Amino acid sequence: MPVVECLDVGGTHTRYALIENEKVLVKERVETRCENAQGLLDFIQEVCVRNRSRAGVSGVNVSCAVLPGPVRKGVLLNAPPLGLQYPLDFSCLEGVLGNAVIIENDLNAAVRTELEKGVGRTVDSFYLLALSTGIGAGIVLNGKAVKGLAGEFGHCVLDASSNAFLCACTRRGCWSAYSSGKGLEMQARANGFEWSASGVFDHALNGHEIACEIVKRARAFNARGLGVMVNALEVQAIVVMGSLGLNRFKEVVPLPGEVGCFTVNPVPRIVKTALADDLGWEGAYFLGMDFLDR
Ligand SMILES: [Zn+2]
């Protein structure tokens, strides 16, 4: 029976699962370590070796890692949430792990899970919007997940003014610079505060003026960004995932009326995913099984 190793490498946490014949043998959630490209490869190898040994598994058929950045032909082109600005080829891991290694954009994988097990069972066109360390969207149109370089809405420039905030992608004024976890931290830093994204919300709850301003701006830019998405394609739902999207939904996800200020198309319903933390690694599992079925 095939053994599939799944990794969802996020900007903050990495989720791992080792699955044999549809049974999860071992699962782990650890902090992502990525000081540079080689550091990320070492980290992935370390997580795999540790969990294989925990599960007592010696042979794996395929390892599938999903990552927060565009992927083309097995190469991660860049990953701003991981601080990687240059292409990274993962094929060198095949030698050390002793099996095929495939990679995919995390949202292209997550959208597959939402299609098979979530909102995809009731509608045939939807967005899966990740509001997390970064911002991006998976797209399903007419029952099919859009593949390849797509859905990088987080890097749409929504503020072209000269004092626009800096984005992790090195440009200025992107949606992500205003509303992603990394963006919230960078805005806090620009004001002299070393706050984490959740720290920003904690300070806002306590009425801190700068923190309140950052949260208010994040919501306002989410309305503009969602407006861009609604104008781009006709979908029946926008499903929200990611740590900010799920844990801070009420604070940062605008109501359809707020989004409607920026659209010519009607705004569909905007809902939280019911699948939460499992979207990424389960998507990796589907992709791993596709690879073995080929
Ligand atoms: Zn950007």
Side-chain angles (χ1 to χ4, degrees):
M1 284 301 169
V3 180
V4 180
E5 188 165 56
C6 314
L7 291 111
D8 175 12
V9 183
T12 311
H13 290 105
T14 292
R15 292 174 179 82
Y16 173 98
L18 189 61
I19 302 169
E20 182 174 28
N21 191 25
E22 296 189 9
K23 185 170 168 255
V24 178
L25 300 179
V26 60
K27 254 170 99 170
E28 186 184 52
R29 178 177 178 269
V30 285
E31 263 184 40
T32 302
R33 218 185 54 234
C34 177
E35 57 278 14
N36 52 40
Q38 187 57 48
L40 179 64
L41 296 173
D42 292 345
F43 166 73
I44 289 176
Q45 182 189 345
E46 190 187 297
V47 170
C48 293
V49 169
R50 176 173 63 243
N51 284 294
R52 287 176 187 198
S53 133
R54 271 176 69 196
V57 164
S58 53
V60 165
N61 296 83
V62 62
S63 305
C64 182
V66 302
L67 298 129
V71 170
R72 175 167 274 169
K73 292 183 179 162
V75 176
L76 177 68
L77 300 184
N78 59 67
L82 295 171
L84 298 176
Q85 309 293 354
Y86 300 101
L88 176 59
D89 189 340
F90 285 72
S91 58
C92 57
L93 279 177
E94 300 200 335
V96 276
L97 293 176
N99 53 262
V101 173
I102 54 173
I103 63 163
E104 179 53 280
N105 170 266
D106 54 359
L107 285 167
N108 289 357
V111 84
R112 181 73 189 277
T113 312
E114 194 66 47
L115 179 61
E116 307 258 355
K117 300 172 83 170
V119 80
R121 294 195 294 196
T122 51
V123 304
D124 62 6
S125 295
F126 65 91
Y127 283 121
L128 179 63
L129 170 66
L131 296 176
S132 191
T133 313
I135 294 177
I139 305 166
V140 168
L141 283 179
N142 304 317
K144 287 212 163 62
V146 173
K147 293 184 178 163
L149 307 185
E152 293 290 349
F153 291 103
H155 300 287
C156 284
V157 173
L158 302 182
D159 179 358
S161 67
S162 57
N163 58 352
F165 280 104
L166 192 63
C167 180
C169 77
T170 74
R171 297 191 191 92
R172 283 186 183 274
C174 298
W175 177 7
S176 277
Y178 290 85
S179 307
S180 72
K182 200 117 187 163
L184 299 188
E185 290 173 12
M186 287 167 82
Q187 287 174 67
R189 196 167 307 134
N191 282 287
F193 299 105
E194 288 297 324
W195 294 337
S196 65
S198 64
V200 172
F201 287 96
D202 293 342
H203 287 291
L205 264 181
N206 291 329
H208 193 293
E209 203 180 320
I210 301 282
C212 290
E213 205 177 284
I214 293 174
V215 171
K216 199 174 154 198
R217 194 158 48 215
R219 184 186 181 104
F221 273 82
N222 280 339
R224 296 185 193 189
L226 280 156
V228 170
M229 293 170 68
V230 171
N231 285 329
L233 296 168
E234 183 182 5
V235 297
Q236 294 132 340
I238 298 176
V239 184
V240 177
M241 64 173 281
S243 51
L244 279 185
L246 295 176
N247 303 329
R248 309 289 177 177
F249 190 89
K250 280 213 165 81
E251 288 111 307
V252 298
V253 177
L255 299 169
E258 296 169 71
V259 180
C261 298
F262 302 100
T263 68
V264 287
N265 297 332
V267 180
R269 65 195 165 99
I270 303 171
V271 295
K272 277 189 196 183
T273 179
L275 303 169
D277 282 354
D278 298 333
L279 277 168
W281 70 260
E282 284 207 31
Y285 176 70
F286 287 124
L287 296 168
M289 290 304 286
D290 287 351
F291 172 83
L292 295 176
D293 286 344
R294 254 189 245 155

